[in-house]
C-alpha cells in the first residue's frame, strides 16, 4: 500500500467528474429529510378513555374522566376512567358530580377504546392502532443500563472503541433530539421549524472547523456541548420554558456538528487498508444509535427529563473518549497503516511464490 497515491493517480484531481459525482450524491440525500416525517406521522395526540353513547348528563360526561396532577399541572387521565356502571347508578339516583367524592370511586382502564383530539392531527399511527397506555414500552431501564455499559466498556477497551462509541452516541443524541421536536413546543410544527433552522449554522460551523481547526478538539467540544446542554435541562424550572427550548437547541447544534465532523474524521483516522471496512463498522454502530433513540424517549414516561439525562450523559462521556483519538488535521492520510497493528502486519506481509516444475511425462500418464 506504500504506492497507493501512484496507483490512483490516473483518477486525477478535483475536476468535472468528481464534481458531477458529488452533485448527484448530495441530490440523493435530499429525500433523507423525509425520514424525520415520523415526528408527525407517529406523534401521540391528546387522548382519553372513550365514553360510549350512554344517557348521561354533560356534567357527568366531563366528570367521568379523573383529573391527575402531573408535574404540578392538572390534566385529565389518558388511560383510566371512573367505572361506567357506578357512574350510571349515581346518575340514575339523581346525584350530580358535585354531590359525590369522585376520588373514592373505583376506576377502570379504557375498555371501550380511546377518544383522540383532532386539534392538530386528523390521524396518526398511534391513533389508528391505539398505541397508548398498555401498549407503551414497559422496559426502558434495561436499555439505559445497556447504554451505560457500552460507554464504560468503550473507555476501557481503548482507542478503536472510542471511534465506534462516538458514532453511536452522536447518532443516538442527534436523532433523539430530532424525534423529540413534536414535544418541544405546544405547536409541533413550530418545534420542527426551530430544530431544522439549527442545522444551517451547524453546517456552516462544521465547514469552518474542518478547514481551520483540529479534528479531535472539534469532535470533543461538539459532543461535550450537546451533552452538557441536555443535562442542564433537568435543572431548569418549568416556568422558564424558553430557556429549556434554547438549551435543547444548543444540544441539537452540538450533535449536528459532531455528526458532520465525524463523517469526515472517521475516514481520516483509519489507514487505507482498513478504511472501508472500519468506516462501515462505525456506520453500523451509528445506525444502532438511530434505532435506539425512539426507545430512549420513552423514558420520559417515568421522569420528563430522563431522556435528556441519558442522552446528555452518554454524549458527555463520549467526548472524553475523543481525547484518545489520533489527530489528522493537516496530516497525510494513513496509506501504509503503520499506526495500526493489524494494518502493519498486512502492509509488511509479502507472499512468497515459487515456480512449479511440471514433468511432461507425468502429464502424459494422466487418464483424462
Amino acid at each position: 500500500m506504500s504506492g497507493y497515491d501512484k496507483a490512483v493517480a490516473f483518477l486525477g484531481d478535483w475536476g468535472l467528474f468528481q464534481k458531477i459525482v458529488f452533485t448527484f450524491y448530495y441530490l440523493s440525500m435530499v429525500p433523507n429529510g423525509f425520514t424525520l416525517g415520523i415526528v408527525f406521522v407517529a406523534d401521540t395526540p391528546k387522548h382519553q378513555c372513550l365514553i360510549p353513547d350512554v344517557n348521561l348528563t354533560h356534567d357527568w360526561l366531563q366528570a367521568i374522566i379523573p383529573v391527575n396532577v402531573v408535574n404540578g399541572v392538572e390534566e385529565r387521565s389518558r388511560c383510566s376512567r371512573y367505572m361506567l356502571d357506578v357512574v350510571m347508578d349515581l346518575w340514575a339516583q339523581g346525584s350530580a358530580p358535585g354531590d359525590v367524592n369522585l376520588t373514592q370511586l373505583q376506576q377502570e382502564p379504557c375498555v371501550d377504546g380511546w377518544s383522540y383530539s383532532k386539534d392538530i392531527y386528523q390521524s396518526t399511527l398511534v391513533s389508528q392502532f391505539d398505541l397508548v397506555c398498555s401498549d407503551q414500552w414497559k422496559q426502558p431501564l434495561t436499555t439505559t443500563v445497556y447504554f451505560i455499559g457500552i460507554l464504560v466498556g468503550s473507555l476501557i477497551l481503548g482507542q478503536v472503541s472510542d471511534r465506534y462509541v462516538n458514532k453511536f452516541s452522536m447518532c443516538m443524541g442527534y436523532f433523539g433530539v430530532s424525534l423529540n421536536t413534536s414535544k418541544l413546543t405546544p405547536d409541533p410544527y413550530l418545534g420542527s421549524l426551530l430544530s431544522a433552522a439549527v442545522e444551517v449554522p451547524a453546517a456552516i460551523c462544521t465547514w469552518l472547523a474542518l478547514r481551520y481547526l483540529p479534528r479531535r478538539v472539534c469532535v470533543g467540544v461538539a459532543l461535550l456541548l450537546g451533552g452538557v446542554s441536555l443535562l442542564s435541562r433537568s435543572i431548569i424550572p418549568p416556568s422558564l420554558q424558553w430557556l429549556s427550548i434554547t438549551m435543547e437547541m444548543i444540544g441539537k447544534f452540538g450533535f449536528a456538528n459532531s455528526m458532520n465532523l465525524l463523517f469526515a474524521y472517521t475516514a481520516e483516522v483509519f489507514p487505507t487498508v482498513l478504511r472501508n471496512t472500519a468506516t462501515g463498522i462505525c456506520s453500523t454502530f451509528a445506525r444502532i444509535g438511530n434505532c435506539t433513540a425512539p426507545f430512549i424517549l420513552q423514558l420520559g414516561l417515568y421522569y420528563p427529563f430522563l431522556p435528556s439525562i441519558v442522552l446528555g450523559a452518554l454524549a458527555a462521556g463520549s467526548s472524553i473518549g475523543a481525547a484518545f483519538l489520533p489527530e489528522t488535521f493537516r496530516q497525510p492520510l494513513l496509506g501504509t497503516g503503520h499506526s495500526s497493528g493489524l494494518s502493519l502486519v498486512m502492509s509488511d506481509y509479502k507472499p512468497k511464490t515459487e515456480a512449479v516444475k511440471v514433468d511432461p511425462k507425468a502429464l502424459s500418464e494422466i487418464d483424462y
Side-chain angles (χ1 to χ4, degrees), residues 236-248:
I236 297 176
S239 59
L240 299 177
Q241 184 183 16
W242 63 271
L243 181 57
S244 179
I245 294 174
T246 300
M247 297 309 297
E248 184 161 344

Side-chain angles (χ1 to χ4, degrees), residues 9 14 22 57 62 76 88 102 139 166 178 184 206 220 226 249 260 273 277 288 311 329 357 359:
W14 181 255
F22 269 77
T57 63
Q62 293 296 316
R76 295 165 67 85
M88 291 290 294
L102 297 176
Q139 302 291 338
N166 283 338
S178 298
L184 188 63
T206 300
M249 289 299 94
N260 297 332
V273 292
T277 301
I288 295 175
L311 295 176
F329 181 58
K357 298 181 179 180
D359 185 359

Side-chain angles (χ1 to χ4, degrees), residues 13-334:
D13 296 325
W14 181 255
L16 179 61
F17 174 77
Q18 286 81 4
K19 293 177 182 178
I20 293 175
V21 170
F22 269 77
T23 299
F24 281 104
Y25 173 74
Y26 285 120
L27 289 176
S28 68
M29 296 179 65
V30 172
N32 290 349
F34 293 104
T35 58
L36 291 179
I38 195 68
V39 171
F40 307 108
V41 175
D43 198 8
T44 304
K46 294 182 179 180
H47 55 277
Q48 64 182 33
C49 291
L50 177 66
I51 308 301
D53 189 11
V54 293
N55 190 15
L56 284 174
T57 63
H58 176 76
D59 291 341
W60 272 117
L61 289 175
Q62 293 296 316
I64 196 173
I65 303 297
V67 177
N68 302 322
V69 178
V70 180
N71 299 323
V73 179
E74 291 186 349
E75 62 177 38
R76 295 165 67 85
S77 175
R78 300 181 178 184
C79 300
S80 63
R81 70 185 185 190
Y82 295 119
M83 292 194 66
L84 183 60
D85 293 341
V86 174
V87 173
M88 291 290 294
D89 291 340
L90 291 172
W91 171 79
Q93 297 172 9
S95 299
D99 302 332
V100 181
N101 186 356
L102 297 176
T103 59
Q104 295 183 351
L105 297 183
Q106 187 176 356
Q107 299 184 15
E108 63 182 356
C110 301
V111 294
D112 296 308
W114 289 264
S115 174
Y116 296 94
S117 171
K118 294 187 178 182
D119 293 341
I120 299 177
Y121 308 107
Q122 292 298 311
S123 178
T124 68
L125 291 175
V126 173
S127 61
Q128 287 184 8
F129 297 99
D130 290 333
L131 303 179
V132 293
C133 298
S134 59
D135 289 331
Q136 289 176 324
W137 187 51
K138 298 296 184 181
Q139 302 291 338
L141 294 180
T142 303
T143 306
T144 305
V145 175
Y146 173 71
F147 290 151
I148 295 174
I150 289 179
L151 174 59
V152 174
S154 68
L155 295 176
I156 295 175
L157 289 177
Q159 177 177 310
V160 174
S161 294
D162 292 333
R163 305 173 190 181
Y164 300 148
V165 76
N166 283 338
K167 295 278 284 189
F168 173 83
S169 59
M170 171 270 298
C171 275
M172 188 171 65
Y174 176 84
F175 281 93
V177 174
S178 298
L179 294 175
N180 194 49
T181 54
S182 62
K183 301 177 179 62
L184 188 63
T185 61
D187 185 352
Y189 299 103
L190 176 60
S192 296
L193 177 62
L194 293 175
S195 181
V198 172
E199 299 277 356
V200 178
I204 296 174
C205 289
T206 300
W207 174 69
L208 294 174
L210 288 173
R211 287 182 62 89
Y212 303 111
L213 299 176
R215 306 283 191 263
R216 182 169 54 188
V217 174
C218 292
V219 170
V221 170
L223 284 171
L224 185 63
L225 177 64
V228 172
S229 298
L230 292 186
L231 288 172
S232 65
R233 293 187 66 236
S234 60
I235 61 175
I236 297 176
S239 59
L240 299 177
Q241 184 183 16
W242 63 271
L243 181 57
S244 179
I245 294 174
T246 300
M247 297 309 297
E248 184 161 344
M249 289 299 94
I250 293 176
K252 173 71 178 293
F253 175 83
F255 286 123
N257 268 289
S258 63
M259 171 176 279
N260 297 332
L261 288 166
L262 281 172
F263 274 113
Y265 190 26
T266 302
E268 295 176 352
V269 294
F270 291 105
T272 302
V273 292
L274 298 176
R275 185 169 295 124
N276 195 34
T277 301
T279 302
I281 295 175
C282 287
S283 296
T284 300
F285 273 78
R287 299 303 169 248
I288 295 175
N290 296 1
C291 298
T292 311
F295 297 97
I296 293 297
L297 296 181
Q298 293 297 320
L299 293 171
L301 297 173
Y302 299 88
Y303 178 64
F305 295 110
L306 193 53
S308 296
I309 293 174
V310 174
L311 295 176
L314 189 59
S318 297
S319 67
I320 301 174
F324 298 97
L325 295 174
E327 183 55 65
T328 62
F329 181 58
R330 293 180 178 174
Q331 299 293 326
L333 289 178
L334 299 177

